[in-house]
Amino acid sequence: MKLRCAVLDDYQGVALTSADWSPLADRVDVRVLREHLTDRAALVAAVEDCEVLVVMRERTPVDAELLARLPRLRLLITSGMRNASIDLAACAARGVTVCGTASSSEPPTELTWALLLGLARHVPAEARAVREGGPWQSTVGSDLAGRTLGLVGLGKIGAKVARIGLAFGMDVAAWSPNLTEQRAAEHGARLAKDRLDLFSTSDFVSLHLVLSDRTRGLVGEPELRAMRPSSYLLNTSRAGLVDSDALLRALREGWIAGAGLDVYETEPLPADDPLRTLPNVLALPHLGYVTEANYGRYFGEAVENIEAFLAGSPVRELD
C-alpha cells in the first residue's frame, strides 16, 4: 500500500513541477494543498490520512496539538534546515522524523535590494503613475552612493548585502550582539559603536538576524526614534525582530521615511492590516526565498528525503 504525502501551502502551484517526483510514483501518492488552511480542524481533515507532510518554511506551524491529531504522520519535511514553527521535541516524542533541505542565501539578499531600490527611487508610485496616466515625475529619489547602509546582523545574508552596498559606493556599518570589529572588517563594513549609533547614523537600516528570545523586539521605539526622518527600515528576516506597534507609529508619524517589508507576524497578512495601505510602506508577500532555483532545491531534496526515509536511512535530519 502506498504512503500518502501532502505538500502544504504551495501558493503558486509549482511543487510538482519544481522537481522530479517520479522516483516516488510507485510508493507514494502525493497531493498538493495550494490554499493556506488557518482553521486547524480543516487542516487536520485535509491531511490526517498522511504519513508524510512537506511544509514550506514556517507557513503552517506544526506543534504538539497538531501532531496529536495526526497519528499516521511518520515523516515531516521542511524547506530549509531551520524551522522555528516545528516542535522538534514533540515530533521526537511521537516518533516523527523531521528532515530539512538546502536553502540559498542569494534570493533573500537580492530581494533586500529590490526593496531598498524600490524605496530609494519611489518605484511603486512612479510606475503606478505611468500605468494610470498620472503625473510625469512626481518624486525625487534618494542617492545610494555616499550614503550609509546599516546592517543589523552580518551573517551569510547580511555579508552578501554588505558587498552589494559597497558596489554601490555606500558606507557600510554593521552591528549585532556578538559582532567584532575584525569580523565586520572582513566584509568591508565598520562596526557601529552600539545599536542606537547604527540606527541614528544610517540612511538605510536592514535587518538580518535569526529570531530568538534574545532578538525578539530588538527594534523598538528607541531605535526607530533614533532614525532620521529621511531614513528607511528594511526587514526581510523575521517580523518578530521589530515591535510592530512602534513601527506603525513610526510610519504614521513620520519618524522614518518608510519601510520595505517582506515578513509579518501573521501570514498571509490580514486584509485589513494597515501595512497594506500605508503610502510609505513597500510590502511584499514574503518572497525572500521564492525563486526557481530555491524551489528546485526545496522540492528536489524533499523527494530525496522521502526516498532516504523509505530506504531506512533518513538524511538531513533536524534535532
Side-chain angles (χ1 to χ4, degrees):
M1 183 176 177
K2 290 184 179 181
L3 295 183
R4 283 153 291 201
C5 170
V7 180
L8 304 187
D9 300 309
D10 181 19
Y11 295 157
Q12 297 92 352
V14 296
L16 300 184
T17 57
S18 294
D20 179 9
W21 293 77
S22 63
L24 303 175
D26 61 342
R27 294 172 289 168
V28 183
D29 282 326
V30 182
R31 62 177 181 265
V32 170
L33 280 67
R34 292 193 58 178
E35 297 298 319
H36 177 68
L37 297 176
T38 55
D39 181 78
R40 183 58 63 91
L43 175 61
V44 170
V47 302
E48 62 185 343
D49 63 330
C50 292
E51 291 83 11
V52 182
L53 289 183
V54 179
V55 299
M56 175 59 72
R57 307 298 288 184
E58 297 169 0
R59 292 175 184 174
T60 294
V62 182
D63 54 25
E65 190 272 340
L66 178 61
L67 289 166
R69 299 172 68 178
L70 302 177
R72 298 181 63 92
L73 185 64
R74 295 167 54 196
L75 174 64
L76 176 63
I77 298 170
T78 175
S79 57
M81 291 300 293
R82 181 190 296 119
N83 190 328
S85 71
I86 294 176
D87 187 332
L88 293 176
C91 287
R94 299 193 68 86
V96 176
T97 300
V98 183
C99 299
T101 73
S103 183
S104 173
S105 57
E106 277 80 11
T109 298
E110 294 166 0
L111 193 82
T112 296
W113 281 98
L115 287 170
L116 193 154
L117 289 165
L119 288 167
R121 301 304 293 270
H122 308 286
V123 170
E126 294 289 7
R128 190 181 312 114
V130 171
R131 185 172 60 250
E132 298 175 357
W136 189 260
Q137 293 189 11
S138 61
T139 64
V140 177
S142 299
D143 295 277
L144 298 189
R147 297 294 178 89
T148 298
L149 170 64
L151 300 174
V152 181
L154 201 61
K156 289 183 180 179
I157 296 173
K160 288 182 170 66
V161 173
R163 287 201 293 272
I164 297 170
L166 293 171
F168 275 113
M170 301 184 79
D171 168 41
V172 180
W175 176 90
S176 70
N178 299 312
L179 185 63
T180 65
E181 188 171 349
Q182 179 181 348
R183 169 71 176 168
E186 289 173 359
H187 297 290
R190 57 180 176 80
L191 179 66
K193 288 184 289 187
D194 52 43
R195 187 162 77 236
L196 286 181
D197 174 65
L198 182 86
F199 279 82
S200 65
T201 59
S202 297
D203 298 288
F204 301 87
V205 176
S206 189
L207 310 182
H208 302 287
L209 288 177
V210 173
L211 182 63
S212 67
D213 291 340
R214 187 180 182 186
T215 61
R216 184 175 295 278
L218 183 133
V219 181
E221 182 169 338
E223 290 75 21
L224 293 168
R225 283 196 180 277
M227 293 177 70
R228 304 167 183 170
S230 60
S231 60
Y232 295 90
L233 179 74
L234 298 114
N235 190 2
T236 57
S237 184
R238 289 293 184 270
L241 297 172
V242 182
D243 180 329
S244 57
D245 292 336
L247 178 59
L248 281 175
R249 288 187 61 200
L251 292 165
R252 285 169 167 160
E253 298 177 16
W255 307 353
I256 61 177
L261 305 174
D262 190 45
V263 289
Y264 312 93
E265 290 283 6
T266 301
E267 296 184 10
L269 194 62
D272 60 350
D273 194 293
L275 292 175
R276 286 182 177 266
T277 55
L278 284 171
N280 55 350
V281 173
L282 177 50
L284 296 176
H286 206 157
L287 297 176
Y289 53 85
V290 181
T291 66
E292 293 174 354
N294 230 19
Y295 270 34
R297 292 183 191 92
Y298 290 168
F299 295 115
E301 293 194 2
V303 173
E304 293 176 5
N305 288 344
I306 297 171
E307 287 187 288
F309 177 81
L310 293 176
S313 301
V315 294
R316 291 184 285 267
E317 286 190 78
L318 305 185
D319 51 31

